[in-house]
Amino acid sequence: MPVTDITKDIEARSLVITAEFAAPATRVWQVYADPRQLERVWGPPSHPATVVEHSLTPGGVVHYFMTGPDGEKYYGGWRVLQVEEPRRFTFEDFFADKSFAPVADLPVSSSEFRFVPVDGGTRAVFTTTYETAEALRQVLDMGMEEGATQATNQIDALLAEG
């Protein structure tokens, strides 16, 4: 399983997931740069993602929805802030309505995804920070830690395909 560490820091309002992959950073980067690959790993297995808009460039957006086992759709999006291919990108991640407009009463996070070459592979460090400790608690109560871990652990199978 790729996830090697999860650090929750309520005081710092952050969740950090660290994962190791037996592939170069340029290959791991492609998982996020290609919408068809991203949708295979963005949601946990029980809630696969469909990416409907994808621009991994500063100022770009990524719009997606996840479909639950009961067929219900959960919409979300990214506002891409910085991109340093293949080392890191930052974005705001938000819950959305069906038109992909942010939902005002749900938390927005600031995320940094970093890819560091290590021993012929890649260490990925996914840092997500919320505006308040309560916002972090809210998404943790929604199962975000488990869902993100399950989603990240799907990446190895995708990388093994080539």
Side-chain angles (χ1 to χ4, degrees), residues 28-115:
V28 178
W29 178 271
Q30 285 305 310
V31 171
Y32 297 90
D34 176 348
R36 301 295 70 88
Q37 292 182 58
L38 178 61
E39 64 189 9
R40 293 182 53 196
V41 301
W42 187 246
S46 62
H47 290 71
T50 301
V51 176
V52 297
E53 185 172 351
H54 185 279
S55 177
L56 190 61
T57 58
V61 297
V62 174
H63 290 152
Y64 63 90
F65 62 87
M66 292 186 234
T67 304
D70 58 359
E72 188 169 355
K73 291 182 173 36
Y74 303 92
Y75 297 84
W78 301 353
R79 285 185 286 269
V80 181
L81 304 173
Q82 300 172 320
V83 177
E84 298 172 26
E85 183 179 347
R87 298 179 316 137
R88 68 184 280 275
F89 65 97
T90 65
F91 60 100
E92 293 178 337
D93 189 7
F94 58 90
F95 293 91
D97 62 22
K98 289 181 181 183
S99 68
F100 297 102
V103 175
D105 61 344
L106 289 173
V108 174
S109 67
S110 296
S111 296
E112 177 188 47
F113 282 25
R114 282 187 294 129
F115 307 99

Side-chain angles (χ1 to χ4, degrees), residues 2-13:
V3 173
T4 60
D5 186 62
I6 299 172
T7 304
K8 292 178 284 203
D9 187 335
I10 300 296
E11 188 174 300
R13 309 170 329 274

